[in-house]
């Protein structure tokens, strides 16, 4: 199936996933703390790293610090999401949700037990300067030690890491009423435990921050 | 669609612009009325306020300080506020969590800069947002005194449209 067909198909089944899962004998996994989510597919059949699977073995640069971040070796639970800063519909909701969870961690004194990793798939425009301005606009405390914007070095690496490894599809678009390119993209936010295994993949444009905070609390214990 | 294709497809739900009403739609309006923290700001007094107001129709506006279209929504709300005065309650609420690089003063500053003149409040745990099933901003609702949501919609709503919805709620039709 080519990319275009994929995107079309994905739109058409937007409400898949609400059907009750087939709870069976295999709903426990020694590598994760949270129970298997209620869903209709097994993790191995999903195109992204899902419950109980290892997060991809990738390293990405944090343009604000110049450091390279190895996602699987975070040492603490991590929250990952995928965005581009020129997005004006879905991404601000994703980023503000993750930002609110981050602020909860700062407020409640567990900031040193979790890291936040928003990954841009638009390295062409999302450079250090742009990401600083974006953090400011979104009220993100990007100077906090546990917040790392991550940026692939090139468009090719963005495709390789974000699409192929994380299964977060994106496709550049040229809207007629805009003088810049945008993206169609999937919305995925991951909660990964300290050992690098996915505890939850939140497949929604508007993840429930209360749910993430609660899941994170369980994973931190 | 064969199985593999369906599975592939399911991983991609939530494409931009496709289904704005995803998971949050599970919530119903049962959460209303609820108490919301109001800020001391122009047109607004500090304290807990009931949403909706107990004695009249309430316009609820969900916004965020980072949300550019929410500024345009403020202009439309100002027009509506001038027309109805005290006959209709109005409250704007942000679900942003206070802390990190955002303070209550930052919210007040945003409010002053965009000429807010009615109650402004905080919904730090997104309870109001969940009760209304909102997944985009700005988001508006017209709610009767007993908590029944008469109308709600995402995106910027112009004053004339909002006035029609208010009139319908006031008229009880």
């Amino acid at each position: 199936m080519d990319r275009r067909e994929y995107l079309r198909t994905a739109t058409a089944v937007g409400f898949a996933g609400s059907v009750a899962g087939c709870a069976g004998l295999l709903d426990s996994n020694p590598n994760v703390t949270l129970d298997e989510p209620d869903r209709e597919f097994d993790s191995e059949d999903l195109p992204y790293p899902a419950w109980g699977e290892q997060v991809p073995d990738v390293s990405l640069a944090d343009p604000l610090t110049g450091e390279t971040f190895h996602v699987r070796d975070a040492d603490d639970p991590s929250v990952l999401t995928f965005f581009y800063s020129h997005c004006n519909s879905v991404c601000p909701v994703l980023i503000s949700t993750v930002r609110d969870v981050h602020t909860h961690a700062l407020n409640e004194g567990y900031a040193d037990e979790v890291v936040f990793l928003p990954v841009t798939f638009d390295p062409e425009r999302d450079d250090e300067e742009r990401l600083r301005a974006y953090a400011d606009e979104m009220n993100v405390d990007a100077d906090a030690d546990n917040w790392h914007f991550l940026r692939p070095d090139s468009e090719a690496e963005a495709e390789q890491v974000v699409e192929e490894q994380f299964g977060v599809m994106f496709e550049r678009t040229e809207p007629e009423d805009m003088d810049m390119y945008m993206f169609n993209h999937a919305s995925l936010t991951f909660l990964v435990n300290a050992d690098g295994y996915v505890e939850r993949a939140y497949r929604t444009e508007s993840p429930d921050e209360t749910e993430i905070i609660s899941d994170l609390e369980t994973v931190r214990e | 669609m064969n199985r593999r294709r369906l599975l592939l497809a399911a991983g991609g739900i939530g494409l931009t612009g496709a289904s704005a009403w995803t998971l949050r739609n599970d919530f119903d309006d049962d959460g209303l009325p609820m108490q919301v923290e109001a800020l001391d700001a122009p047109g607004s007094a500090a304290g807990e306020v009931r949403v909706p107001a107990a004695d009249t129709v309430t316009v609820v506006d969900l916004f965020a300080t980072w949300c550019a279209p929410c500024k345009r929504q403020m202009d439309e709300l100002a027009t509506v506020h001038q027309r109805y005065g005290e006959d209709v309650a109005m409250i704007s609420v942000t679900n942003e969590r206070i802390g990190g690089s955002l303070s209550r003063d930052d919210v007040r500053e945003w409010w002053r800069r965009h000429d807010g003149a009615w109650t402004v409040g905080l919904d730090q745990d997104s309870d109001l947002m969940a009760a209304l099933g909102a997944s985009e901003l700005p988001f508006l609702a017209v709610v009767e005194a007993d908590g029944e949501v008469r109308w709600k919609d995402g995106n910027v709503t112009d004053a004339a449209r909002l006035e029609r919805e208010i009139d319908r709620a006031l008229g009880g039709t």
Side-chain angles (χ1 to χ4, degrees), chain B residues 28-34 51-52 60 128 131-132 143 146-149:
Chain B
D28 53 30
D29 302 332
D30 285 345
L32 297 178
M34 68 169 65
V51 176
V60 180
L128 181 57
L132 291 172
V143 188
D146 64 0
E148 188 191 340
V149 178

Side-chain angles (χ1 to χ4, degrees), chain A residues 81-85 87-101 134 137-138 140 147 185 187-189 204-209 212, chain B residues 14 19-20 22 24 63-64 66-67 69-70 95-96 126 129 134-139:
Chain A
T81 197
F82 301 84
F83 77 105
Y84 71 108
S85 71
C87 170
N88 50 26
S89 52
V90 173
C91 315
V93 175
L94 289 176
I95 294 294
S96 71
T97 300
V98 173
R99 179 262 170 213
D100 283 348
V101 177
Y134 188 62
E137 182 184 323
M138 297 300 296
V140 166
W147 181 282
H185 62 98
S187 304
L188 270 164
T189 302
T204 166
E205 294 176 356
S206 56
D208 182 343
E209 69 182 74
I212 299 176
Chain B
S19 48
T22 43
R24 279 292 169 89
F63 76 99
W66 49 261
C67 164
C70 297
N95 77 318
E96 292 165 284
S126 301
M129 204 171 177
S135 63
E136 55 191 332
L137 299 174
F139 189 94

